[in-house]
Amino acid sequence: MKPFLLTASLATLCCATLHAQLLQQEKECSEAAERQFAHSGFTHDNASLTAHYNIKLGRCHAEFANTKLEDGHLTVFREAVDGTNGTIVAQITWIHGTILAGANATLCRVVMSSGDTVITHV
């Protein structure tokens, strides 16, 4: 076999192997995120789940999302977590609605990965 063909064959094999590994990591990430989603009390009836394996960081991240309208209050909730162990990376809750005597108010609560919470009223 000529050196060029051998190099090309090895490169093709290497790419196919890396692609297969990435697909396996994405699958494992998706399955782990699904378990964390259920463990956190979410269902696909009341929230959505997005999972992604970051190859550069070697980590699985997931986002749990819920938007609802109840009694004139719009609530938007987003939580980014480590998909394998459920550690909260970031969380935001945004609530807008008619609070008292027809006055509109907006509350935004952000929880950082450090556990620090920031609350703002608009």
Side-chain angles (χ1 to χ4, degrees):
M1 184 177 273
K2 294 183 178 180
F4 174 76
L5 291 177
L6 177 60
T7 302
S9 296
L10 289 174
T12 302
L13 178 62
C14 178
C15 287
T17 302
L18 287 175
H19 183 70
Q21 287 174 342
L22 180 58
L23 287 176
Q24 182 62 32
Q25 289 166 327
E26 282 285 351
K27 179 180 182 245
E28 290 171 5
C29 174
S30 177
E31 291 168 352
E34 189 70 46
R35 286 189 297 274
Q36 291 302 324
F37 184 73
H39 181 73
S40 296
F42 294 104
T43 69
H44 290 285
D45 293 333
N46 67 9
S48 64
L49 164 66
T50 304
H52 169 70
Y53 182 80
N54 185 314
I55 194 164
K56 286 184 180 180
L57 298 176
R59 303 202 51 182
C60 173
H61 291 102
E63 179 191 47
F64 307 155
N66 178 309
T67 302
K68 63 183 176 182
L69 179 62
E70 285 182 338
D71 302 324
H73 293 76
L74 175 67
T75 303
V76 178
F77 174 82
R78 299 287 183 271
E79 184 172 75
V81 301
D82 180 303
T84 49
N85 65 24
T87 302
I88 296 173
V89 176
Q91 183 186 81
I92 184 167
T93 305
W94 185 83
I95 303 169
H96 178 80
T98 304
I99 308 300
L100 297 172
N104 285 330
T106 301
L107 168 86
C108 182
R109 180 182 67 137
V110 178
V111 178
M112 309 295 199
S113 59
S114 64
D116 294 337
T117 301
V118 178
I119 297 177
T120 60
H121 298 271
V122 181

mmCIF file of all heavy atoms in Angstrom, residues 16-54:
data_model
loop_
_atom_site.group_PDB
_atom_site.id
_atom_site.type_symbol
_atom_site.label_atom_id
_atom_site.label_comp_id
_atom_site.label_asym_id
_atom_site.label_seq_id
_atom_site.Cartn_x
_atom_site.Cartn_y
_atom_site.Cartn_z
ATOM 1 N N ALA A 16 -13.779 8.485 11.882
ATOM 2 C CA ALA A 16 -14.950 7.636 12.130
ATOM 3 C C ALA A 16 -15.004 7.234 13.598
ATOM 4 O O ALA A 16 -16.077 7.224 14.209
ATOM 5 C CB ALA A 16 -14.901 6.399 11.236
ATOM 6 N N THR A 17 -13.846 6.935 14.183
ATOM 7 C CA THR A 17 -13.786 6.559 15.595
ATOM 8 C C THR A 17 -14.175 7.728 16.486
ATOM 9 O O THR A 17 -14.963 7.580 17.425
ATOM 10 C CB THR A 17 -12.375 6.059 15.962
ATOM 11 O OG1 THR A 17 -12.050 4.945 15.131
ATOM 12 C CG2 THR A 17 -12.291 5.650 17.419
ATOM 13 N N LEU A 18 -13.641 8.930 16.194
ATOM 14 C CA LEU A 18 -13.988 10.125 16.973
ATOM 15 C C LEU A 18 -15.471 10.444 16.857
ATOM 16 O O LEU A 18 -16.117 10.809 17.849
ATOM 17 C CB LEU A 18 -13.152 11.319 16.520
ATOM 18 C CG LEU A 18 -11.685 11.301 16.930
ATOM 19 C CD1 LEU A 18 -10.946 12.477 16.312
ATOM 20 C CD2 LEU A 18 -11.543 11.320 18.438
ATOM 21 N N HIS A 19 -16.018 10.304 15.664
ATOM 22 C CA HIS A 19 -17.447 10.560 15.451
ATOM 23 C C HIS A 19 -18.296 9.585 16.265
ATOM 24 O O HIS A 19 -19.262 9.976 16.909
ATOM 25 C CB HIS A 19 -17.781 10.474 13.964
ATOM 26 C CG HIS A 19 -19.199 10.798 13.652
ATOM 27 N ND1 HIS A 19 -19.702 12.069 13.766
ATOM 28 C CD2 HIS A 19 -20.225 10.006 13.262
ATOM 29 C CE1 HIS A 19 -20.991 12.050 13.450
ATOM 30 N NE2 HIS A 19 -21.326 10.817 13.134
ATOM 31 N N ALA A 20 -17.906 8.330 16.259
ATOM 32 C CA ALA A 20 -18.643 7.313 17.028
ATOM 33 C C ALA A 20 -18.554 7.603 18.527
ATOM 34 O O ALA A 20 -19.543 7.461 19.251
ATOM 35 C CB ALA A 20 -18.095 5.925 16.718
ATOM 36 N N GLN A 21 -17.372 8.039 18.989
ATOM 37 C CA GLN A 21 -17.216 8.375 20.409
ATOM 38 C C GLN A 21 -18.090 9.574 20.780
ATOM 39 O O GLN A 21 -18.726 9.577 21.826
ATOM 40 C CB GLN A 21 -15.748 8.693 20.725
ATOM 41 C CG GLN A 21 -14.861 7.489 20.749
ATOM 42 C CD GLN A 21 -13.391 7.877 20.920
ATOM 43 O OE1 GLN A 21 -12.998 9.019 20.699
ATOM 44 N NE2 GLN A 21 -12.588 6.894 21.322
ATOM 45 N N LEU A 22 -18.122 10.595 19.922
ATOM 46 C CA LEU A 22 -18.943 11.772 20.185
ATOM 47 C C LEU A 22 -20.421 11.404 20.228
ATOM 48 O O LEU A 22 -21.152 11.860 21.112
ATOM 49 C CB LEU A 22 -18.696 12.850 19.132
ATOM 50 C CG LEU A 22 -19.507 14.133 19.315
ATOM 51 C CD1 LEU A 22 -19.241 14.758 20.674
ATOM 52 C CD2 LEU A 22 -19.203 15.116 18.205
ATOM 53 N N LEU A 23 -20.863 10.573 19.307
ATOM 54 C CA LEU A 23 -22.259 10.129 19.317
ATOM 55 C C LEU A 23 -22.583 9.370 20.597
ATOM 56 O O LEU A 23 -23.657 9.553 21.186
ATOM 57 C CB LEU A 23 -22.556 9.258 18.094
ATOM 58 C CG LEU A 23 -22.653 9.980 16.756
ATOM 59 C CD1 LEU A 23 -22.860 8.979 15.630
ATOM 60 C CD2 LEU A 23 -23.775 11.003 16.779
ATOM 61 N N GLN A 24 -21.667 8.542 21.068
ATOM 62 C CA GLN A 24 -21.866 7.803 22.309
ATOM 63 C C GLN A 24 -21.936 8.765 23.496
ATOM 64 O O GLN A 24 -22.777 8.614 24.378
ATOM 65 C CB GLN A 24 -20.753 6.773 22.516
ATOM 66 C CG GLN A 24 -20.916 5.926 23.768
ATOM 67 C CD GLN A 24 -22.190 5.082 23.766
ATOM 68 O OE1 GLN A 24 -22.670 4.648 22.724
ATOM 69 N NE2 GLN A 24 -22.744 4.859 24.941
ATOM 70 N N GLN A 25 -21.053 9.773 23.520
ATOM 71 C CA GLN A 25 -21.062 10.756 24.608
ATOM 72 C C GLN A 25 -22.356 11.569 24.600
ATOM 73 O O GLN A 25 -22.923 11.848 25.660
ATOM 74 C CB GLN A 25 -19.835 11.668 24.503
ATOM 75 C CG GLN A 25 -18.552 10.943 24.847
ATOM 76 C CD GLN A 25 -17.320 11.701 24.437
ATOM 77 O OE1 GLN A 25 -17.293 12.411 23.436
ATOM 78 N NE2 GLN A 25 -16.254 11.538 25.222
ATOM 79 N N GLU A 26 -22.825 11.953 23.427
ATOM 80 C CA GLU A 26 -24.097 12.681 23.309
ATOM 81 C C GLU A 26 -25.252 11.822 23.820
ATOM 82 O O GLU A 26 -26.120 12.309 24.528
ATOM 83 C CB GLU A 26 -24.363 13.093 21.854
ATOM 84 C CG GLU A 26 -23.582 14.282 21.388
ATOM 85 C CD GLU A 26 -24.093 15.604 21.928
ATOM 86 O OE1 GLU A 26 -25.176 15.654 22.543
ATOM 87 O OE2 GLU A 26 -23.393 16.601 21.739
ATOM 88 N N LYS A 27 -25.240 10.541 23.476
ATOM 89 C CA LYS A 27 -26.295 9.625 23.920
ATOM 90 C C LYS A 27 -26.276 9.491 25.438
ATOM 91 O O LYS A 27 -27.315 9.582 26.099
ATOM 92 C CB LYS A 27 -26.115 8.261 23.257
ATOM 93 C CG LYS A 27 -27.151 7.230 23.661
ATOM 94 C CD LYS A 27 -26.919 5.902 22.957
ATOM 95 C CE LYS A 27 -27.994 4.923 23.339
ATOM 96 N NZ LYS A 27 -27.547 3.796 24.072
ATOM 97 N N GLU A 28 -25.087 9.280 26.010
ATOM 98 C CA GLU A 28 -24.962 9.149 27.459
ATOM 99 C C GLU A 28 -25.372 10.444 28.160
ATOM 100 O O GLU A 28 -26.026 10.414 29.205
ATOM 101 C CB GLU A 28 -23.531 8.768 27.838
ATOM 102 C CG GLU A 28 -23.165 7.354 27.444
ATOM 103 C CD GLU A 28 -21.685 7.037 27.628
ATOM 104 O OE1 GLU A 28 -20.938 7.896 28.163
ATOM 105 O OE2 GLU A 28 -21.277 5.934 27.228
ATOM 106 N N CYS A 29 -25.013 11.578 27.587
ATOM 107 C CA CYS A 29 -25.386 12.873 28.146
ATOM 108 C C CYS A 29 -26.901 13.038 28.136
ATOM 109 O O CYS A 29 -27.502 13.437 29.132
ATOM 110 C CB CYS A 29 -24.728 14.002 27.340
ATOM 111 S SG CYS A 29 -25.220 15.663 27.811
ATOM 112 N N SER A 30 -27.517 12.702 27.028
ATOM 113 C CA SER A 30 -28.972 12.816 26.908
ATOM 114 C C SER A 30 -29.689 11.942 27.929
ATOM 115 O O SER A 30 -30.645 12.374 28.581
ATOM 116 C CB SER A 30 -29.387 12.425 25.484
ATOM 117 O OG SER A 30 -30.769 12.456 25.349
ATOM 118 N N GLU A 31 -29.212 10.717 28.101
ATOM 119 C CA GLU A 31 -29.827 9.793 29.064
ATOM 120 C C GLU A 31 -29.638 10.283 30.504
ATOM 121 O O GLU A 31 -30.559 10.228 31.315
ATOM 122 C CB GLU A 31 -29.249 8.391 28.888
ATOM 123 C CG GLU A 31 -29.665 7.737 27.586
ATOM 124 C CD GLU A 31 -28.885 6.467 27.255
ATOM 125 O OE1 GLU A 31 -27.892 6.161 27.964
ATOM 126 O OE2 GLU A 31 -29.257 5.789 26.277
ATOM 127 N N ALA A 32 -28.433 10.779 30.820
ATOM 128 C CA ALA A 32 -28.169 11.290 32.169
ATOM 129 C C ALA A 32 -29.011 12.530 32.449
ATOM 130 O O ALA A 32 -29.576 12.678 33.536
ATOM 131 C CB ALA A 32 -26.684 11.615 32.321
ATOM 132 N N ALA A 33 -29.129 13.417 31.464
ATOM 133 C CA ALA A 33 -29.933 14.633 31.633
ATOM 134 C C ALA A 33 -31.403 14.281 31.827
ATOM 135 O O ALA A 33 -32.099 14.910 32.637
ATOM 136 C CB ALA A 33 -29.753 15.550 30.428
ATOM 137 N N GLU A 34 -31.871 13.275 31.137
ATOM 138 C CA GLU A 34 -33.260 12.822 31.293
ATOM 139 C C GLU A 34 -33.503 12.327 32.725
ATOM 140 O O GLU A 34 -34.539 12.620 33.327
ATOM 141 C CB GLU A 34 -33.563 11.717 30.285
ATOM 142 C CG GLU A 34 -35.009 11.310 30.206
ATOM 143 C CD GLU A 34 -35.906 12.353 29.583
ATOM 144 O OE1 GLU A 34 -35.550 12.907 28.535
ATOM 145 O OE2 GLU A 34 -36.977 12.626 30.174
ATOM 146 N N ARG A 35 -32.531 11.614 33.283
ATOM 147 C CA ARG A 35 -32.654 11.151 34.676
ATOM 148 C C ARG A 35 -32.671 12.335 35.643
ATOM 149 O O ARG A 35 -33.467 12.372 36.585
ATOM 150 C CB ARG A 35 -31.510 10.190 35.031
ATOM 151 C CG ARG A 35 -31.648 8.812 34.403
ATOM 152 C CD ARG A 35 -30.630 7.820 34.940
ATOM 153 N NE ARG A 35 -29.256 8.184 34.651
ATOM 154 C CZ ARG A 35 -28.609 7.888 33.526
ATOM 155 N NH1 ARG A 35 -29.229 7.197 32.570
ATOM 156 N NH2 ARG A 35 -27.362 8.266 33.341
ATOM 157 N N GLN A 36 -31.798 13.331 35.423
ATOM 158 C CA GLN A 36 -31.764 14.515 36.286
ATOM 159 C C GLN A 36 -33.062 15.317 36.168
ATOM 160 O O GLN A 36 -33.570 15.849 37.152
ATOM 161 C CB GLN A 36 -30.569 15.416 35.944
ATOM 162 C CG GLN A 36 -29.236 14.827 36.289
ATOM 163 C CD GLN A 36 -29.119 14.482 37.763
ATOM 164 O OE1 GLN A 36 -29.633 15.171 38.630
ATOM 165 N NE2 GLN A 36 -28.446 13.376 38.054
ATOM 166 N N PHE A 37 -33.606 15.392 34.984
ATOM 167 C CA PHE A 37 -34.863 16.086 34.712
ATOM 168 C C PHE A 37 -35.984 15.468 35.548
ATOM 169 O O PHE A 37 -36.706 16.167 36.265
ATOM 170 C CB PHE A 37 -35.158 15.959 33.211
ATOM 171 C CG PHE A 37 -36.359 16.692 32.693
ATOM 172 C CD1 PHE A 37 -36.351 18.065 32.573
ATOM 173 C CD2 PHE A 37 -37.482 15.988 32.271
ATOM 174 C CE1 PHE A 37 -37.443 18.742 32.052
ATOM 175 C CE2 PHE A 37 -38.572 16.643 31.756
ATOM 176 C CZ PHE A 37 -38.558 18.034 31.639
ATOM 177 N N ALA A 38 -36.092 14.157 35.511
ATOM 178 C CA ALA A 38 -37.125 13.455 36.279
ATOM 179 C C ALA A 38 -36.851 13.557 37.778
ATOM 180 O O ALA A 38 -37.775 13.785 38.569
ATOM 181 C CB ALA A 38 -37.193 11.988 35.854
ATOM 182 N N HIS A 39 -35.586 13.435 38.167
ATOM 183 C CA HIS A 39 -35.211 13.519 39.586
ATOM 184 C C HIS A 39 -35.547 14.892 40.172
ATOM 185 O O HIS A 39 -35.873 15.013 41.352
ATOM 186 C CB HIS A 39 -33.722 13.223 39.748
ATOM 187 C CG HIS A 39 -33.244 13.263 41.168
ATOM 188 N ND1 HIS A 39 -33.550 12.272 42.074
ATOM 189 C CD2 HIS A 39 -32.507 14.188 41.837
ATOM 190 C CE1 HIS A 39 -33.013 12.586 43.245
ATOM 191 N NE2 HIS A 39 -32.375 13.737 43.125
ATOM 192 N N SER A 40 -35.487 15.933 39.341
ATOM 193 C CA SER A 40 -35.793 17.298 39.783
ATOM 194 C C SER A 40 -37.291 17.570 39.828
ATOM 195 O O SER A 40 -37.711 18.668 40.170
ATOM 196 C CB SER A 40 -35.110 18.320 38.871
ATOM 197 O OG SER A 40 -33.711 18.204 38.980
ATOM 198 N N GLY A 41 -38.092 16.570 39.450
ATOM 199 C CA GLY A 41 -39.543 16.714 39.536
ATOM 200 C C GLY A 41 -40.214 17.235 38.285
ATOM 201 O O GLY A 41 -41.406 17.531 38.293
ATOM 202 N N PHE A 42 -39.472 17.351 37.207
ATOM 203 C CA PHE A 42 -40.051 17.816 35.952
ATOM 204 C C PHE A 42 -40.635 16.651 35.163
ATOM 205 O O PHE A 42 -40.207 15.513 35.311
ATOM 206 C CB PHE A 42 -38.996 18.510 35.082
ATOM 207 C CG PHE A 42 -38.468 19.781 35.660
ATOM 208 C CD1 PHE A 42 -37.213 19.829 36.239
ATOM 209 C CD2 PHE A 42 -39.234 20.935 35.645
ATOM 210 C CE1 PHE A 42 -36.715 21.000 36.776
ATOM 211 C CE2 PHE A 42 -38.748 22.115 36.181
ATOM 212 C CZ PHE A 42 -37.485 22.144 36.742
ATOM 213 N N THR A 43 -41.604 16.963 34.335
ATOM 214 C CA THR A 43 -42.122 16.009 33.356
ATOM 215 C C THR A 43 -42.177 16.729 32.019
ATOM 216 O O THR A 43 -42.139 17.968 31.971
ATOM 217 C CB THR A 43 -43.537 15.504 33.714
ATOM 218 O OG1 THR A 43 -44.457 16.594 33.561
ATOM 219 C CG2 THR A 43 -43.600 14.941 35.129
ATOM 220 N N HIS A 44 -42.295 15.980 30.947
ATOM 221 C CA HIS A 44 -42.375 16.609 29.626
ATOM 222 C C HIS A 44 -43.736 17.270 29.410
ATOM 223 O O HIS A 44 -43.919 17.986 28.436
ATOM 224 C CB HIS A 44 -42.046 15.596 28.529
ATOM 225 C CG HIS A 44 -40.596 15.223 28.539
ATOM 226 N ND1 HIS A 44 -39.607 16.042 28.066
ATOM 227 C CD2 HIS A 44 -39.962 14.122 29.019
ATOM 228 C CE1 HIS A 44 -38.431 15.480 28.224
ATOM 229 N NE2 HIS A 44 -38.627 14.297 28.804
ATOM 230 N N ASP A 45 -44.677 17.044 30.331
ATOM 231 C CA ASP A 45 -45.970 17.722 30.263
ATOM 232 C C ASP A 45 -45.874 19.153 30.769
ATOM 233 O O ASP A 45 -46.669 20.000 30.383
ATOM 234 C CB ASP A 45 -47.025 16.975 31.096
ATOM 235 C CG ASP A 45 -47.355 15.618 30.519
ATOM 236 O OD1 ASP A 45 -47.204 15.437 29.293
ATOM 237 O OD2 ASP A 45 -47.753 14.730 31.295
ATOM 238 N N ASN A 46 -44.912 19.437 31.685
ATOM 239 C CA ASN A 46 -44.858 20.769 32.266
ATOM 240 C C ASN A 46 -43.541 21.513 32.021
ATOM 241 O O ASN A 46 -43.366 22.631 32.486
ATOM 242 C CB ASN A 46 -45.128 20.713 33.782
ATOM 243 C CG ASN A 46 -44.030 20.005 34.554
ATOM 244 O OD1 ASN A 46 -42.973 19.674 34.026
ATOM 245 N ND2 ASN A 46 -44.283 19.773 35.823
ATOM 246 N N ALA A 47 -42.601 20.903 31.317
ATOM 247 C CA ALA A 47 -41.314 21.558 31.084
ATOM 248 C C ALA A 47 -40.619 20.928 29.879
ATOM 249 O O ALA A 47 -41.027 19.881 29.394
ATOM 250 C CB ALA A 47 -40.437 21.434 32.326
ATOM 251 N N SER A 48 -39.559 21.589 29.449
ATOM 252 C CA SER A 48 -38.785 21.037 28.337
ATOM 253 C C SER A 48 -37.349 20.790 28.786
ATOM 254 O O SER A 48 -36.876 21.360 29.773
ATOM 255 C CB SER A 48 -38.798 21.988 27.132
ATOM 256 O OG SER A 48 -38.147 23.202 27.457
ATOM 257 N N LEU A 49 -36.681 19.942 28.067
ATOM 258 C CA LEU A 49 -35.318 19.544 28.380
ATOM 259 C C LEU A 49 -34.467 19.635 27.120
ATOM 260 O O LEU A 49 -34.868 19.166 26.058
ATOM 261 C CB LEU A 49 -35.301 18.092 28.896
ATOM 262 C CG LEU A 49 -33.958 17.371 28.934
ATOM 263 C CD1 LEU A 49 -33.017 18.017 29.938
ATOM 264 C CD2 LEU A 49 -34.155 15.904 29.259
ATOM 265 N N THR A 50 -33.303 20.268 27.268
ATOM 266 C CA THR A 50 -32.315 20.303 26.192
ATOM 267 C C THR A 50 -31.000 19.852 26.794
ATOM 268 O O THR A 50 -30.613 20.323 27.862
ATOM 269 C CB THR A 50 -32.157 21.734 25.634
ATOM 270 O OG1 THR A 50 -33.423 22.216 25.218
ATOM 271 C CG2 THR A 50 -31.206 21.768 24.465
ATOM 272 N N ALA A 51 -30.315 18.936 26.145
ATOM 273 C CA ALA A 51 -29.030 18.445 26.643
ATOM 274 C C ALA A 51 -27.975 18.574 25.559
ATOM 275 O O ALA A 51 -28.279 18.480 24.366
ATOM 276 C CB ALA A 51 -29.154 16.987 27.091
ATOM 277 N N HIS A 52 -26.743 18.800 26.000
ATOM 278 C CA HIS A 52 -25.638 18.955 25.057
ATOM 279 C C HIS A 52 -24.344 18.482 25.708
ATOM 280 O O HIS A 52 -24.062 18.840 26.855
ATOM 281 C CB HIS A 52 -25.490 20.425 24.651
ATOM 282 C CG HIS A 52 -24.231 20.719 23.897
ATOM 283 N ND1 HIS A 52 -24.018 20.268 22.611
ATOM 284 C CD2 HIS A 52 -23.116 21.389 24.251
ATOM 285 C CE1 HIS A 52 -22.820 20.676 22.209
ATOM 286 N NE2 HIS A 52 -22.252 21.354 23.180
ATOM 287 N N TYR A 53 -23.567 17.684 24.991
ATOM 288 C CA TYR A 53 -22.251 17.280 25.474
ATOM 289 C C TYR A 53 -21.220 18.220 24.869
ATOM 290 O O TYR A 53 -21.116 18.348 23.651
ATOM 291 C CB TYR A 53 -21.934 15.829 25.083
ATOM 292 C CG TYR A 53 -20.599 15.402 25.632
ATOM 293 C CD1 TYR A 53 -20.487 15.020 26.964
ATOM 294 C CD2 TYR A 53 -19.456 15.427 24.860
ATOM 295 C CE1 TYR A 53 -19.254 14.663 27.500
ATOM 296 C CE2 TYR A 53 -18.225 15.072 25.374
ATOM 297 C CZ TYR A 53 -18.134 14.694 26.699
ATOM 298 O OH TYR A 53 -16.925 14.354 27.233
ATOM 299 N N ASN A 54 -20.469 18.925 25.723
ATOM 300 C CA ASN A 54 -19.433 19.843 25.269
ATOM 301 C C ASN A 54 -18.117 19.077 25.214
ATOM 302 O O ASN A 54 -17.545 18.735 26.256
ATOM 303 C CB ASN A 54 -19.338 21.035 26.236
ATOM 304 C CG ASN A 54 -18.365 22.080 25.750
ATOM 305 O OD1 ASN A 54 -17.253 21.776 25.330
ATOM 306 N ND2 ASN A 54 -18.793 23.323 25.828
#
